[in-house]
Amino acid sequence: MRQMLGRLVHDKAALVAALYLLAVVVVALVAPLIVDASLMRSNLRLRHLPPLHFDHGWWYVLGGDALGRSMLARLVVAARTTLAISFATVSLSLVIGAAIGLVAGLSNAWWSTAIMRAIDVLMSIPSLLLAMVVLFVIGASPPVVVMILTVTRIPIFARTARGQALEIRERPFVSASRVMGASSLHLLVRHMAPLALPTLFSVAALEFAQVMLAESTLTFLGIGVQPPDVTWGLMVSDGQRYLATAWWSALWPGLVIASIALAATILGNWFQVANDPVLRARSARKSRVPAAESKVASNA
Amino acid sequence: MLSKTPLLEIDNLVVDFETPGGTFNAVRGISLCLEQGGSHAIIGESGSGKSVTASAIMSLIDSPPGHVCGGDIRFQGRSILSMPRAERRRLYGRHIAMVFQDPAAHLNPVYPVGWQIAEVCRIHGRPAGEAKRSAIALMDRVGIGDAARRYHAFPHQFSGGQRQRIMIAMAMALRPELLIADEPTTALDVTVQAQILELIRELQQENGSALLLITHDLGVAADIARTVSVMRRGEFVEEGTIADVFVAPRHSYTQKLLEARTSSRPQVTTADAEVLLEVKDVSIDYGSVRAVSDVSLQLRHNEVLCVVGESGSGKSTIANAILRLREITSGSICYRGADIHKLGRAELDAYHRAVQAVFQDPFGSLNPRMSVFDIICEPWSIQRSVLPKSEWRQRSVELMESVGLTAGDLGKYPSEFSGGQRQRIAIARALALQSEIIVCDEAVSALDMTVQGQIISLLQEIRARMGVALLFITHDLTLVRNFADRVIVMKAGEIVEQGSTEDVFSNPKHGYTKMLLAACPVPDPVVQQERRNAAKVASGGNQGAHALARGA
């Protein structure tokens, strides 16, 4: 753990990304303490208040929305719901998808193929249609949204994991391990998972942004998160109606989504490098050559 | 034919590569002079800079990171390095041509081979119809049967040997004055190698071309070259005629190269030792293809049994079946009398402890994410009863020392080691369970010659010290001679000959064994010349050689 932290400090881009994500998480956690309830009430005098000046206190530095609520305060409150939904969705689908994919990749048996065909079937169902039907029947709430999004994300992780497992399975060190009498569980835990995980984490980082956008699509259709709950996706879809008159109402939540996605991707890439002795040695050597340093940053 | 200016002159060439770790001096001031029609070999191990030299002549060095920072290369007196690009392009293909190691990678898979041969002619301004006709003639000349029809075939429809013939046809299409061959036969089986070398020699004589051969194989060099340079770490350590260098090498490195394979074998009598492993009438099918048919063999205690065969002979399939990585179709494999496919759980664990493996690829056989300590300890983490965890550290240090590595290496990762060192780690892992049998599947084939010698002597030492039996699978007969107690020769899934090493080498009975022995070039120009002539006579002169070639 300490080793990993040391490596993180070494990679400037990843460090900045990690600190940014950490800050957003902290803000999301303490949101109820810092955001005054009055800021969330509509105030038509401050309707579409232009951003970037302090006339109405620093809560209104990012402007006001269509009902005159503070954009900054709503972003802070939305962080909680958005991050919770995305994080839960991505981790659930990562765990379930990776388990299915690795197990299916390890075995040649008929059920391995059957599982993957079932995954393909799942993938071919339009996720929006599935979401609409389920949300209409059960009713929209954050846990149901998480469930729906998880189901639609599982195939991506399962197929990535299976592809990795199929490739790793043929490597000589897996054969060597089998020759020692290794059980399937041993192969899975010692060889498959450690080699497949960094790739899966990279995929997860990208999926994190995808899930935020998918959630906002559901919200946009009115079947996602319902007011008074608020997410960044909801804010984007609210704001896009006023793009011509009040650009800030969609821009700030959009920027937050993009920056979170970027930070998650940078961190995902860093994780892949930090876990691979070969890449690690290469990047360590690179960083000693000044000319190559900018290349590392841009690669990350 | 001799002109005043030599055909190719390399004058104090220096090539550097900028790597993240600093500047790597790949070639450090070599000079070379090749006359018209001459044949010169550059011999060296991987990383010696021999291929970089060839690439420099063909302007194929990736720049950056590589660049020529000193010296000159002159072709017919004109400097290649300073001539304009357009002029250089006219030179390549027409006057200087190159044959690469891997014909599978250097032929475009989406174009017919004939079209690719004709392309060379078209680039240098011949009309398409004429180019096609000469391509067909060339295919015929290099021994591709039914050339007019095969003109339209794609690279994947040819065998490795045939693909190399096609590459040679492309190179010789415009009768270049200089042919550069970079490890032209390294990826090929030994009998095919002999045919390809013969073809290069014939074409060279027909066209009066000069040959610059890059190789790591002393036998190949002795077979085809008249002069030789031995390259090491970017420098020529020895130069001269092939007879001088091979018969009386002056530099210690050349001596080491020549000695690498001639270490003597300790005499161990194992004829009446206990039979550990018995393979009885085993057949293995891959779908509808029979890879191994009715193979029987016995491995005795503390014995070195070598299975020799070319690619596709089924030798590795047998090894995998013994390791239980591959199901057998019929027959049985017995360990100390018990069928290994009918073992109970505890007996199966015992079998896995008794039989370990070292694989070919030193880069693939160690998990890159595990430290060496974790790799060595993996057998104990699987077979929990062998060693208590408290003793892992001490025992792994002992194992590392027994394969010539140090305790300090335990904390490192596989990527920090060379191929030979990685193979040592793999051997240490195979020894961890104190096995009785170690199956080595082409365990030294991916290594340089001097490193091969080191690993072989390590295996010999381990065999003598620990009393293990070795089942050594290889395609390389020269390795076997001083190492094996018994030899099994396989061809197309069947055993064609088996016996003690002395018998098989001095008195081969099967025609295929004779052919293998004859095809294998030896690093002695005089002997190799005699062997080549003998092989020609044996196969019925040129006619026979051509017929053979078409079959390749």
Side-chain angles (χ1 to χ4, degrees):
Chain A
M1 195 63 205
R2 180 175 292 173
Q3 253 183 337
M4 288 297 268
L5 274 180
R7 283 174 204 148
L8 185 61
V9 172
H10 217 75
D11 186 338
K12 296 288 178 298
L15 182 65
V16 171
L19 290 178
Y20 177 65
L21 285 181
L22 191 70
V24 173
V25 168
V26 168
V27 166
L29 288 178
V30 301
L33 301 177
I34 55 173
V35 177
D36 189 61
S38 66
L39 291 165
M40 299 303 286
R41 247 175 262 130
S42 55
N43 182 351
L44 290 180
R45 275 190 301 136
L46 299 177
R47 192 163 186 264
H48 287 325
L49 184 75
L52 304 179
H53 45 81
F54 292 92
D55 298 351
H56 295 272
W58 60 274
W59 273 113
Y60 280 90
V61 69
L62 296 183
D65 71 355
L67 296 176
R69 294 172 292 194
S70 153
M71 285 296 289
L72 184 58
R74 280 180 53 85
L75 280 176
V76 167
V77 172
R80 200 183 173 96
T81 343
T82 314
L83 289 184
I85 290 178
S86 312
F87 189 76
T89 305
V90 170
S91 4
L92 271 178
S93 48
L94 172 66
V95 169
I96 300 170
I100 292 175
L102 288 176
V103 170
L106 192 60
S107 168
N108 267 334
W110 62 270
W111 54 263
S112 154
T113 319
I115 289 176
M116 290 322 289
R117 287 296 83 77
I119 293 280
D120 288 349
V121 169
L122 190 63
M123 219 171 175
S124 66
I125 299 173
S127 51
L128 213 54
L129 182 71
L130 183 77
M132 283 167 77
V133 171
V134 175
L135 289 170
F136 184 74
V137 172
I138 307 183
S141 67
V144 181
V145 172
V146 166
M147 192 190 79
I148 293 289
L149 289 174
T150 302
V151 169
T152 60
R153 297 290 139 184
I154 283 176
I156 290 161
F157 289 101
R159 304 191 95 189
T160 311
R162 180 159 178 270
Q164 290 273 309
L166 286 178
E167 188 261 316
I168 297 163
R169 193 177 73 183
E170 298 305 320
R171 298 220 206 154
F173 60 79
V174 175
S175 296
S177 201
R178 280 189 209 267
V179 169
M180 296 165 204
S183 62
S184 294
L185 185 70
H186 177 94
L187 294 181
L188 209 62
V189 173
R190 286 300 287 273
H191 295 302
M192 303 285 196
L195 271 105
L197 270 187
T199 308
L200 288 171
F201 277 135
S202 296
V203 174
L206 293 172
E207 280 302 300
F208 201 68
Q210 288 289 317
V211 165
M212 276 190 265
L213 295 175
E215 174 266 314
S216 71
T217 310
L218 293 179
T219 307
F220 182 69
L221 291 171
I223 50 173
V225 174
Q226 304 294 325
D229 277 344
V230 59
T231 65
W232 293 328
L234 186 65
M235 290 176 71
V236 171
S237 62
D238 278 349
Q240 62 92 29
R241 266 176 281 173
Y242 308 106
L243 264 183
T245 49
W247 48 269
W248 55 89
S249 51
L251 182 71
W252 302 132
L255 273 184
V256 173
I257 292 179
S259 60
I260 296 272
L262 184 66
T265 310
I266 290 173
L267 211 57
N269 274 343
W270 166 80
F271 189 82
Q272 189 150 22
V273 173
N275 265 291
D276 189 327
V278 183
L279 292 177
R280 198 161 66 215
R282 203 176 295 158
S283 70
R285 256 182 276 131
K286 257 186 193 169
S287 59
R288 262 181 247 132
V289 183
E293 207 156 42
S294 56
K295 206 173 163 192
V296 175
S298 65
N299 281 352
Chain B
M1 285 293 276
L2 275 179
S3 53
K4 268 181 216 154
T5 47
L7 185 70
L8 178 76
E9 260 181 301
I10 299 177
D11 187 11
N12 211 13
L13 180 74
V14 179
V15 182
D16 285 352
F17 280 85
E18 291 301 332
T19 67
T23 306
F24 174 65
N25 312 103
V27 177
R28 313 172 183 214
I30 58 162
S31 298
L32 176 76
C33 196
L34 185 58
E35 300 295 338
Q36 195 126 32
S39 52
H40 186 90
I42 300 179
I43 300 174
E45 302 192 322
S46 56
S48 63
K50 57 190 196 303
S51 286
V52 174
T53 307
S55 302
I57 301 172
M58 297 300 285
S59 312
L60 283 175
I61 292 175
D62 287 330
S63 180
H67 51 97
V68 177
C69 42
D72 200 2
I73 300 171
R74 283 185 293 276
F75 182 73
Q76 293 176 327
R78 290 186 301 157
S79 167
I80 292 181
L81 296 179
S82 57
M83 76 175 51
R85 275 179 185 225
E87 204 173 322
R88 227 187 286 170
R89 277 201 297 271
R90 277 198 292 280
L91 208 57
Y92 295 142
R94 184 187 288 267
H95 300 287
I96 309 178
M98 188 158 177
V99 174
F100 296 92
Q101 172 175 354
D102 184 2
H106 287 95
L107 286 171
N108 190 328
V110 301
Y111 290 111
V113 294
W115 187 91
Q116 294 186 53
I117 298 173
E119 186 185 20
V120 184
C121 306
R122 285 197 305 273
I123 287 173
H124 289 280
R126 290 216 203 152
E130 192 191 324
K132 181 174 178 180
R133 272 193 301 282
S134 56
I136 293 175
L138 275 163
M139 284 172 74
D140 190 51
R141 176 60 196 92
V142 297
I144 306 283
D146 199 4
R149 194 174 56 81
R150 299 282 263 167
Y151 179 90
H152 300 286
F154 290 90
H156 72 268
Q157 292 166 305
F158 293 89
S159 69
Q162 284 176 321
R163 282 198 284 254
Q164 196 57 286
R165 286 170 188 279
I166 291 163
M167 285 291 293
I168 291 170
M170 283 170 80
M172 298 307 278
L174 295 166
R175 300 174 182 266
E177 283 94 342
L178 174 63
L179 176 68
I180 301 173
D182 188 356
E183 302 270 13
T185 57
T186 306
L188 304 174
D189 280 330
V190 60
T191 51
V192 182
Q193 165 173 293
Q195 295 160 13
I196 296 288
L197 291 177
E198 186 60 38
L199 176 68
I200 292 177
R201 192 176 11 251
E202 282 174 24
L203 287 172
Q204 198 201 342
Q205 277 162 10
E206 276 175 34
N207 299 332
S209 308
L211 174 73
L212 182 63
L213 176 79
I214 314 288
T215 185
H216 72 281
D217 191 325
L218 296 159
V220 169
D223 191 36
I224 200 163
R226 281 200 287 274
T227 51
V228 62
S229 307
V230 179
M231 197 165 184
R232 188 191 188 201
R233 291 183 194 152
E235 286 168 293
F236 286 161
V237 295
E238 184 151 1
E239 288 164 274
T241 68
I242 200 126
D244 289 349
V245 172
F246 277 41
V247 176
R250 288 187 309 275
H251 194 275
S252 60
Y253 179 69
T254 319
Q255 287 164 0
K256 213 171 95 191
L257 274 181
L258 285 162
E259 273 168 15
R261 296 186 168 207
T262 50
S263 59
S264 64
R265 177 166 57 96
Q267 287 301 316
V268 184
T269 331
T270 52
D272 46 0
E274 179 193 9
V275 173
L276 289 180
L277 194 73
E278 184 160 26
V279 174
K280 264 186 275 185
D281 303 322
V282 164
S283 297
I284 298 165
D285 294 344
Y286 288 159
S288 60
V289 181
R290 175 141 290 198
V292 169
S293 68
D294 288 332
V295 164
S296 300
L297 60 87
Q298 289 183 333
L299 182 65
R300 293 171 190 277
H301 176 70
N302 202 12
E303 173 184 53
V304 180
L305 174 63
C306 285
V307 180
V308 183
E310 301 191 316
S311 53
S313 63
K315 56 190 193 303
S316 287
T317 311
I318 280 283
N320 284 345
I322 290 169
L323 296 170
R324 286 189 47 123
L325 293 171
R326 174 74 59 192
E327 292 299 312
I328 59 175
T329 312
S330 65
S332 66
I333 299 172
C334 295
Y335 167 67
R336 290 179 184 270
D339 190 328
I340 62 164
H341 290 97
K342 292 174 185 154
L343 297 176
R345 174 122 204 130
E347 292 164 308
L348 193 58
D349 274 351
Y351 181 69
H352 282 307
R353 283 199 292 275
V355 181
Q356 281 299 302
V358 178
F359 295 100
Q360 172 173 8
D361 178 11
F363 295 86
S365 56
L366 308 174
N367 186 335
R369 302 287 168 91
M370 284 162 73
S371 69
V372 173
F373 177 71
D374 288 338
I375 289 169
I376 303 261
C377 295
E378 194 187 357
W380 302 319
S381 73
I382 294 168
Q383 303 278 350
R384 290 275 175 189
S385 58
V386 175
L387 198 69
K389 201 162 184 172
S390 54
E391 290 174 33
W392 286 11
R393 173 64 60 178
Q394 192 204 337
R395 182 83 186 101
S396 57
V397 171
E398 288 169 21
L399 280 171
M400 288 295 274
E401 280 163 1
S402 73
V403 296
L405 296 169
T406 64
D409 292 330
L410 281 170
K412 295 185 188 169
Y413 286 87
S415 54
E416 297 170 61
F417 295 91
S418 68
Q421 287 173 320
R422 288 184 207 203
Q423 215 58 318
R424 286 173 189 269
I425 296 168
I427 292 170
R429 177 176 62 182
L431 293 171
L433 295 172
Q434 294 181 308
S435 306
E436 288 175 298
I437 301 170
I438 296 180
V439 177
C440 303
D441 189 357
E442 299 272 15
V444 298
S445 306
L447 305 174
D448 277 330
M449 252 179 304
T450 48
V451 183
Q452 276 187 352
Q454 291 161 7
I455 297 292
I456 292 283
S457 29
L458 173 66
L459 286 171
Q460 264 168 345
E461 184 205 319
I462 284 167
R463 174 249 191 134
R465 190 151 43 97
M466 306 192 180
V468 294
L470 295 172
L471 180 63
F472 196 85
I473 316 279
T474 183
H475 68 279
D476 191 343
L477 264 177
T478 49
L479 270 181
V480 172
R481 181 158 211 162
N482 300 303
F483 179 47
D485 298 316
R486 282 195 303 130
V487 177
I488 286 177
V489 182
M490 283 187 77
K491 188 200 180 191
E494 288 174 30
I495 292 180
V496 295
E497 179 153 1
Q498 58 178 315
S500 75
T501 312
E502 312 298 332
D503 287 350
V504 171
F505 274 85
S506 56
N507 186 21
K509 289 180 191 63
H510 195 276
Y512 180 70
T513 317
K514 288 179 189 163
M515 203 172 86
L516 271 185
L517 285 169
C520 198
V522 291
D524 183 326
V526 183
V527 178
Q528 180 56 25
Q529 174 86 36
E530 287 166 9
R531 282 162 57 92
R532 193 165 66 226
N533 294 339
K536 259 189 198 167
V537 173
S539 61
N542 246 345
Q543 211 64 37
H546 271 295
L548 242 179
R550 297 227 164 111

